Amino acid sequence: MSSASQPENPPVPPAFRVERSSVHGNGVFAQRDIAPGERIVEYGGREITWDEAQLRAEVQGGPHNHTFFFSLANGNVIDGGDHGNEARYINHSCEPNCEAIEEEDGRIFIYALYDIRQDEELSYSYPLIYEGRHTPAIKRAFACRCGAANCSGTMLAPKPRKRRPKAVTPDAPAVPAEYGPALAAVQSPQPAAPG
Ligand SMILES: [Zn+2]
């Protein structure tokens, strides 16, 4: 039994905070040191179908507002902008210190890959799957400025190869059709990085 005069245990500080990032918009920063393998935060948001995600992206004017959805193994996505949390502000980096893992119950959690020091910005490698054409405007919108030595310069995952052979297309037009019918920028959790 503790006496009334004894102070209670100080509350454990949250592992992270959201503030302006030099990389892009808001970022998420370590509020304290974080150990490798520590589960930092769930990627919150409502689970919706892929069709609904595309609809939402269109309504919001395309992918430029960084409306990212995390794709799940069951084909649905998690919309971090719908009942989401701070995790949606975690920026991409080509040299990330965190990774996103989908658990068996279809929830996505952010884990520390390495020792993360207090005030370090949290990041993971998206990769960003964009189903529309990778026009110059789209490439610009998703350019990576993470500053890592091995920065690929883009947040976009390479487009998957089509099954049927495709004719060589001419250069993209000057006015890109980025508001096409099938727009959705979708994040997909990375498998655990070796080492
Ligand atoms: Zn980068």
Side-chain angles (χ1 to χ4, degrees):
M1 249 206 240
S2 59
S3 77
S5 62
Q6 205 159 355
E8 289 179 18
N9 288 334
V12 178
F16 55 85
R17 65 178 186 275
V18 175
E19 63 182 45
R20 296 291 295 176
S21 163
S22 59
V23 176
H24 181 272
N26 286 314
V28 179
F29 295 77
Q31 184 84 338
R32 56 168 171 80
D33 291 352
I34 299 173
E38 187 175 335
R39 181 194 270 190
I40 299 171
V41 63
E42 177 171 7
Y43 190 89
R46 186 162 284 175
E47 182 176 339
I48 58 175
T49 64
W50 170 247
D51 286 345
E52 174 67 19
Q54 289 188 338
L55 211 63
R56 290 185 178 187
E58 281 173 45
V59 165
Q60 293 172 42
H64 288 158
N65 54 4
H66 286 250
T67 304
F68 294 161
F69 307 108
F70 251 115
S71 61
L72 297 172
N74 67 6
N76 288 342
V77 305
I78 291 181
D79 184 354
D82 184 355
H83 293 77
N85 58 9
E86 298 91 338
R88 69 182 187 274
Y89 296 117
I90 298 175
N91 279 313
H92 165 88
S93 170
C94 300
E95 212 171 71
N97 53 17
C98 297
E99 64 182 336
I101 294 179
E102 180 179 346
E103 312 275 290
E104 283 176 12
D105 57 2
R107 294 162 71 190
I108 290 174
F109 290 89
I110 312 301
Y111 287 86
L113 279 171
Y114 311 111
D115 265 317
I116 299 173
R117 295 280 169 220
Q118 186 176 344
D119 299 328
E120 213 177 295
E121 179 165 1
L122 307 185
S123 61
Y124 48 65
S125 177
Y126 280 0
L128 195 62
I129 298 167
Y130 179 69
E131 300 240 311
R133 290 185 58 202
H134 289 188
T135 63
I138 287 296
K139 287 176 181 168
R140 272 196 302 277
F142 294 112
C144 183
R145 299 178 187 85
C146 73
N150 63 346
C151 179
S152 69
T154 182
M155 295 190 276
L156 292 168
K159 295 208 72 170
R161 285 178 168 279
K162 295 276 190 289
R163 276 188 302 268
R164 57 189 162 84
K166 208 173 139 196
V168 176
T169 51
D171 287 343
V175 181
E178 68 261 54
Y179 299 132
L183 293 185
V186 173
Q187 289 175 308
S188 140
Q190 284 265 85

